[in-house]
Amino acid sequence: FVLTERDTSFVEQLMSELDLGLVVEHGYKLMWPSRYNEDRDERQWVTLGSFNEAQVSEWLAKVNDKLEKYEEGTPGSVVIVKESSATWHFKDADPEFAFAQAQAAQHKLEDFLEKSATGMEIVMGQKTLYVRPRGVSKAATTQHILKSLKEWNLDPDFVLCFGDDRQDEDMFDAAKEYADATAEVVTCTVGRKTSKAECFVEGVEEVIRALEWLGRFV
């Protein structure tokens, strides 16, 4: 399974021909591999959670209006709005100024979301401020995938979980909860940093090498 913050159109363009489990926008939608579908020719996106998509779109429009003001006042930053989320990226902005702006934006948005009872939440990522429907996360999706496989008597005996972002830390915890006497779980962060993961690799190249090596035994 590949879990990403990218949207459906990007992932379909890049990975549609690969028969992998795909999760977009940090867990908003899931596409199962064909081997888990009764109709193997019809792979479809499934929205995880009971969200009113029209309502989510309306909330995001209001959030975007507020984030765009910070984008305009923070050179080098950019706001990207997707189907379920709005993300303000400020990695290319002045670090100190952007961090101060991000804190101000977070406080203002938290106040707005609380008063509006939107059902949205704010997550600070790695030089990003991310607004999403409450309950959408890679951790929740990981739990959903592993629970579903277990219910279908397809539960794996080995789970390897890679991640490189602050939001992946909860995903590591969710994967570890699955470990028992019959299933081994290994969590691995990408890049040397403090993490809940058991091990780390230096970069994406090592992730690819590890997957290629494991592929020999599948």
Side-chain angles (χ1 to χ4, degrees), residues 6-173:
R6 299 284 192 167
D7 60 17
T8 53
S9 60
F10 178 90
V11 171
E12 286 177 350
Q13 182 178 3
L14 191 67
M15 299 182 176
S16 61
E17 295 183 2
L18 302 177
D19 192 13
L20 299 172
L22 302 173
V23 178
V24 296
E25 299 194 35
H26 291 286
Y28 186 62
K29 288 189 175 182
L30 162 68
M31 181 186 287
W32 289 94
S34 63
R35 60 183 175 277
Y36 299 138
N37 290 333
E38 292 183 5
D39 185 347
R40 299 196 174 198
D41 293 327
E42 287 293 330
R43 296 181 68 201
Q44 297 181 346
W45 290 106
V46 178
T47 301
L48 299 178
S50 54
F51 302 108
N52 182 317
E53 296 188 20
Q55 186 69 71
V56 170
S57 179
E58 181 181 335
W59 291 335
L60 285 176
K62 295 178 180 178
V63 168
N64 185 45
D65 287 342
K66 298 183 183 302
L67 283 178
E68 282 185 341
K69 295 178 181 178
Y70 287 94
E71 176 188 30
E72 292 170 2
T74 311
S77 70
V78 62
V79 175
I80 298 176
V81 179
K82 300 174 185 173
E83 187 176 353
S84 72
S85 63
T87 307
W88 181 38
H89 297 267
F90 48 88
K91 66 177 182 178
D92 295 326
D94 177 84
E96 291 186 13
F97 180 66
F99 180 71
Q101 288 282 79
Q103 287 186 311
Q106 181 179 9
H107 293 151
K108 187 166 186 176
L109 284 171
E110 283 176 343
D111 184 58
F112 163 71
L113 295 176
E114 183 178 350
K115 291 179 179 178
S116 305
T118 61
M120 308 288 282
E121 65 179 355
I122 301 170
V123 179
M124 288 295 290
Q126 192 170 338
K127 298 183 180 180
T128 60
L129 189 153
Y130 185 69
V131 182
R132 66 188 182 192
R134 192 176 302 279
V136 170
S137 69
K138 291 182 181 178
T141 304
T142 299
Q143 291 174 331
H144 174 77
I145 291 170
L146 293 174
K147 180 181 178 182
S148 297
L149 292 176
K150 194 174 187 69
E151 290 174 351
W152 300 338
N153 294 319
L154 296 170
D155 39 326
D157 54 17
F158 178 72
V159 176
L160 174 60
C161 185
F162 285 105
D164 68 346
D165 189 75
R166 185 184 302 175
Q167 296 181 49
D168 295 328
E169 295 299 312
D170 290 339
M171 179 178 66
F172 295 147
D173 282 339

Side-chain angles (χ1 to χ4, degrees), residues 162 164 190-191 201-211:
F162 285 105
D164 68 346
V190 182
V201 293
E202 292 289 356
V204 175
E205 295 79 9
E206 291 188 26
V207 175
I208 294 173
R209 284 200 294 270
L211 294 176

